[in-house]
Amino acid sequence: MWGVGVLAYIVAVLHRTSFGVAGIDAVHRFGASAGMLASFTVLQLLVYAGLQIPVGLLLDRVGPRRMIAGGALLMAAGQALMAVAGSVGAAVAARVLVGAGDAMTFISVLSIVATWFPGRQAPVVTQLTGLLGQLGQVLSAVPLVALLHGPGWTTAFGSAAALGVLVGVLSIAVLRDSAPGAVRPAAPSPRQVGHDLRAAFRHPGTRLGLWTHFVTQFSSNTFALMWGYPYLVSGQGMRPSAASTLLTLFVLANVVSGPFVGRLVARYPMRRSRLVLGIVAVNAGAWAAVLACPPPAPAWLLVLLVVCVALGGPGAMIGFDYARTFNPPARQGTATGIVNVGGFVAALITILLIGFVLDALSPGKDFTPAAFRAAWTVQVLIWTVGVAGVLRTRHLTRRHLALSEG
């Protein structure tokens, strides 16, 4: 069950990140400015984030099998439309479909983890799910880029669509909503759905998970989904092949760090917020070092940046552990959906702000190193808001636990 779920998530990440590596090609294909280009991904993330809570509620009603299969087929339709899109309108519609299908995938795979693994293993398996999913970024950074620069745009996105159809068929054939012999609880009534949504959001532990996801994931999402590849090529003067290699290193850093973060969370559950704040500090410090250095930065410093930014992925998984531990099974889909909103809302704001700065500082459609250097500083605002949210909800959660124990 878990293997097919992870495969579905890998392909979802491929779809999610495909437009980022095609950003420079899209500028010329659609005649788009940096702001318009950013709006494609922002709209995709807006759809993703906006559907998280409805998808979480629906997941609790219909189970992960239909959600994962439906999401895969929606994303395949979006990529097929992108393959033949010749106008901005068609491309926007394609990214909306990708965002909607993507929204249905990850939290449904986490539901499989909760069903098929004991609680003591769940933190590590959740981390493994997140990090293995990032292999989808390798697929977009290497074979998809090769197809873009070889057979061309239509073949690249058409191949991604075919892979999505394959995953949809496998999900329908293999996945099951519950273990053999298990009695699936009755679908909640609309009144109970509303009660679960309010109860999940009101619990400070759920909101702590949301702010954790917000502050850890946005930088890595912004880098992977939209501006990382253009930044390395246009902002740091790297060859496209070298930039693809660094994006592959980004994924490998996720793979290596994820299990360690999962073990720390399982071993020290009362110290999770300290780990979150430490990851944020490392991320911000790496960006400060790179942006303080006039471009092009030394290769070793860019490698260090990619490794540090990649830690945001495992850090964001801690938010889902909060959702799991502070909510009963009947509303974990809802709570997970609430948490998953955080990082994607922060990422779409950051992506859009960077696009605006690039448009303001770059002549024409040529992104300059100086413009990129200024644009990435908008992250300071998001870090400030996110850290404040983590500190506030951590205090509320500790007070809630103390009252419960009393």
Side-chain angles (χ1 to χ4, degrees):
M1 298 301 108
W2 181 62
V4 173
V6 168
L7 177 62
Y9 183 47
I10 289 172
V11 176
V13 173
L14 162 65
H15 295 319
R16 182 192 304 170
T17 58
S18 59
F19 196 74
V21 300
I24 296 174
D25 299 82
V27 167
H28 300 289
R29 182 177 179 90
F30 302 115
S33 65
M36 185 180 294
L37 195 64
S39 69
F40 281 44
T41 302
V42 165
L43 180 60
Q44 174 188 334
L45 293 180
L46 189 62
V47 171
Y48 182 101
L51 287 177
Q52 283 307 295
I53 294 175
V55 163
L57 294 170
L58 191 59
L59 174 62
D60 288 335
R61 291 179 66 87
V62 306
R65 177 172 175 254
R66 281 178 281 183
M67 297 295 287
I68 293 172
L73 295 177
L74 263 180
M75 287 184 282
Q79 296 291 59
L81 178 58
M82 183 62 79
V84 298
S87 66
V88 170
V92 166
R95 297 319 286 176
V96 167
L97 289 173
V98 170
D102 191 11
M104 300 167 67
T105 305
F106 182 62
I107 65 173
S108 300
V109 177
L110 291 188
S111 176
I112 290 176
V113 173
T115 299
W116 293 88
F117 291 89
R120 68 181 183 277
Q121 294 179 355
V124 174
V125 179
T126 297
Q127 288 287 349
L128 288 171
T129 302
L131 69 90
L132 288 173
Q134 299 313 305
L135 293 173
Q137 189 176 338
V138 176
L139 295 179
S140 64
V142 182
L144 186 67
V145 167
L147 288 173
L148 277 169
H149 296 162
W153 180 280
T154 300
T155 300
F157 284 96
S159 299
L163 191 57
V165 172
L166 174 62
V167 167
V169 172
L170 279 175
S171 299
I172 293 170
V174 176
L175 291 181
R176 297 294 179 269
D177 291 329
S178 58
V183 178
R184 184 171 175 81
S189 65
R191 183 176 180 180
Q192 184 62 40
V193 166
H195 176 270
D196 288 345
L197 177 58
R198 290 191 299 272
F201 186 78
R202 285 176 179 173
H203 198 296
T206 303
R207 299 200 303 276
L208 176 57
L210 183 149
W211 284 112
T212 293
H213 199 265
F214 180 102
V215 77
T216 51
Q217 195 187 55
F218 84 89
S219 187
S220 60
N221 261 354
T222 300
F223 195 88
L225 296 181
M226 186 70 236
W227 293 122
Y229 184 84
Y231 171 63
L232 294 173
V233 174
S234 298
Q236 292 291 344
M238 298 186 73
R239 297 189 308 275
S241 59
S244 294
T245 300
L246 275 189
L247 289 179
T248 302
L249 176 63
F250 179 95
V251 176
L252 293 178
N254 267 283
V255 171
V256 172
S257 61
F260 288 103
V261 173
R263 288 177 184 176
L264 288 173
V265 169
R267 185 173 298 178
Y268 305 107
M270 302 306 292
R271 298 291 181 267
R272 288 174 289 187
S273 62
R274 294 185 182 181
L275 181 58
V276 169
L277 295 174
I279 289 172
V280 172
V282 168
N283 198 331
W287 271 114
V290 170
L291 297 179
C293 179
W300 66 266
L301 187 55
L302 292 176
V303 169
L304 179 64
L305 172 69
V306 166
V307 170
C308 291
V309 171
L311 292 176
M317 297 299 106
I318 300 173
F320 299 116
D321 199 60
Y322 284 124
R324 181 184 63 84
T325 55
F326 287 119
N327 290 275
R331 68 169 190 245
Q332 284 189 5
T334 302
T336 300
I338 292 171
V339 168
N340 208 23
V341 170
F344 290 95
V345 168
L348 70 87
I349 293 171
T350 308
I351 288 169
L352 197 57
L353 288 175
I354 289 176
F356 288 155
V357 174
L358 287 174
D359 272 343
L361 300 181
S362 295
K365 298 183 179 65
D366 296 323
F367 306 145
T368 66
F372 265 118
R373 193 179 183 190
W376 281 108
T377 62
V378 304
Q379 295 179 104
V380 174
L381 173 63
I382 311 299
W383 278 316
T384 302
V385 173
V387 168
V390 168
L391 294 176
R392 174 61 178 165
T393 51
R394 180 178 69 173
H395 170 73
L396 294 175
T397 303
R398 288 175 175 175
R399 188 170 69 178
H400 180 87
L401 290 174
L403 291 174
S404 299
E405 292 173 358

